[in-house]
Amino acid sequence: LAMAPPPRTYSRAELRQRCAQGSCLVLRGRRLYDVTGFVPLHPGGQQLLRQRAGSDVSAALDGPPHRHSDNARRWLEQYYVGDLRAEPGPLLERERPVDTINQTTNHWMDPRCKTVDPDKDLVDWHRPLLWQVGQLGEKYDEWVHQPVDRPIRLFHSDIIESFSKTAWYIVIVVWIPVVLYVSWLCYTSLGQGNTRLFSSLTTEYSIPVHKYCFPFLFILGMGLWSFVEYVIHRFVFHMNPPASNYFLITLHFLLHGQHHKSPFDRSRLVFPPVPASLVAAFFCCCLLLILPWAVGLSVFAGGLFGYVTYDMTHYYLHYGSPKKGSYLYGLKTYHVKHHFEHQKLGSGVTTRIWGNVCLPERPKG
């Protein structure tokens, strides 16, 4: 086997030049990391990480406004580019040697698609992962909660694979017209004055539903969606599948484990339209079974809009850079902790709303 080339070394002058050209560098001991591409993904946004670039990594990783886990330190290794060249003169504090035990040895890799280390990785990244993860057994839980920065392929078939991922804007293009059409349909139907609640139980005491009720039904649907998403996220997406159950491990990875393994895979941050349409049809049928047609569709329209809002918020929390101190800034910090610190809790986007109302989560540490 051919030996990997030695890591490149950089002088202080080269570092200053790269920074002047817009690169964002982090120095840990003499190990140098180029995190330019990761800056927009950092919960502190571009301003925070650029302020810390070039400093001791302990400050960059452990300082306010949040504390990083060991996963974050392992994550940093994906951006290793070389070492600071030894030069005459006293060492700076940030240049002193550090413990490099268990650090990645194959440093020459694409930061978004690192090559597989056969001695450490439990799956073959050159083949679809969905049919491999079930064989990990008791190792699955630890493996799936060690995030990597690379795309995931689930299926052998290119056609099925294309249905399992999508760009963020497709959610808006597909579902917003549906929300507008269903909303108009419901509003005009309610405007005819023929819709009444409980008419199947008692005609005398049934309650008329006017078109002015549509906004309230729409908002009710949004709230109902957020609660359903919270329950599903916490109790289904974050179930702990039995190590001996190949099917449940595979199902968990398909539903949500893939997102925790590769949290910055752009094509898998929102729900693809084809499987989403099946889920939407199920919830729509459930509503129409228990509510009058116009009322049920009004709630469904609100729920569908709530889903679109949720998916767009989730995407922004991964790739946006909200202003420090804003609500979205705090929400992004909260959500990134979910991926790198309190991963096994259902700390999704809606948890900050419902988690404090019912069934509160209490992360350790």
Side-chain angles (χ1 to χ4, degrees), residues 79-96:
Y79 302 98
Y80 174 82
V81 293
D83 296 335
L84 181 65
R85 187 178 305 153
E87 297 178 358
L91 289 177
L92 298 177
E93 180 66 24
R94 64 176 179 268
E95 297 175 16
R96 293 178 182 174

Side-chain angles (χ1 to χ4, degrees), residues 200-215:
S200 60
L201 299 177
T202 169
T203 305
E204 183 178 359
Y205 295 104
S206 61
I207 302 174
V209 182
H210 300 287
K211 62 182 180 180
Y212 305 110
C213 296
F214 173 77

Side-chain angles (χ1 to χ4, degrees), residues 296-342:
L297 277 187
S298 297
V299 175
F300 172 75
L304 191 58
F305 182 73
Y307 152 70
V308 174
T309 303
Y310 164 85
D311 246 4
M312 294 302 96
T313 302
H314 181 225
Y315 189 92
Y316 180 77
L317 295 183
H318 279 264
Y319 276 93
S321 294
K323 183 180 179 181
K324 185 176 181 180
S326 65
Y327 175 77
L328 286 175
Y329 179 88
L331 191 58
K332 175 164 184 168
T333 302
Y334 179 81
H335 188 64
V336 171
K337 282 184 177 181
H338 171 51
H339 279 286
F340 292 96
E341 190 171 349
H342 304 307

Side-chain angles (χ1 to χ4, degrees), residues 53-239:
S55 65
D56 184 350
V57 76
S58 63
L61 292 180
D62 293 325
H66 59 281
R67 178 175 56 84
H68 285 69
S69 64
D70 290 338
N71 276 331
R73 298 178 185 276
R74 286 191 290 266
W75 181 278
L76 185 66
E77 287 300 319
Q78 298 179 82
Y79 302 98
Y80 174 82
V81 293
D83 296 335
L84 181 65
R85 187 178 305 153
E87 297 178 358
L91 289 177
L92 298 177
E93 180 66 24
R94 64 176 179 268
E95 297 175 16
R96 293 178 182 174
V98 297
D99 182 11
T100 58
I101 296 177
N102 295 326
Q103 290 180 334
T104 303
T105 56
N106 183 10
H107 306 299
W108 299 99
M109 56 189 176
D110 183 338
R112 296 200 65 84
C113 298
K114 73 174 184 179
T115 55
V116 176
D117 184 343
D119 296 327
K120 295 183 178 180
D121 215 315
L122 301 177
V123 297
D124 184 355
W125 285 85
H126 298 294
R127 298 189 298 116
L129 298 187
L130 187 60
W131 314 118
Q132 301 183 58
V133 295
Q135 301 171 356
L136 296 180
E138 60 184 13
K139 298 180 181 178
Y140 170 76
D141 188 63
E142 179 182 0
W143 175 85
V144 81
H145 291 110
Q146 293 178 348
V148 297
D149 189 9
R150 57 172 299 151
I152 283 179
R153 184 180 180 93
L154 294 177
F155 301 97
H156 291 280
S157 169
D158 291 337
I159 296 178
I160 299 178
E161 179 71 10
S162 66
F163 289 147
S164 71
K165 54 186 180 180
T166 189
W168 66 269
Y169 54 85
I170 298 298
V171 174
I172 297 177
V173 171
V174 171
W175 293 116
I176 289 300
V178 176
V179 171
L180 294 176
Y181 175 74
V182 173
S183 297
W184 172 81
L185 202 62
C186 293
Y187 185 79
T188 55
S189 179
L190 292 174
Q192 296 176 5
N194 300 323
T195 304
R196 305 181 71 90
L197 284 175
F198 312 119
S199 59
S200 60
L201 299 177
T202 169
T203 305
E204 183 178 359
Y205 295 104
S206 61
I207 302 174
V209 182
H210 300 287
K211 62 182 180 180
Y212 305 110
C213 296
F214 173 77
F216 300 100
L217 295 173
F218 191 90
I219 295 174
L220 174 64
M222 293 181 64
L224 181 62
W225 154 255
S226 68
F227 179 72
V228 169
E229 196 284 329
Y230 165 72
V231 172
I232 293 176
H233 197 123
R234 181 170 182 183
F235 297 104
V236 179
F237 288 174
H238 286 275
M239 66 175 177

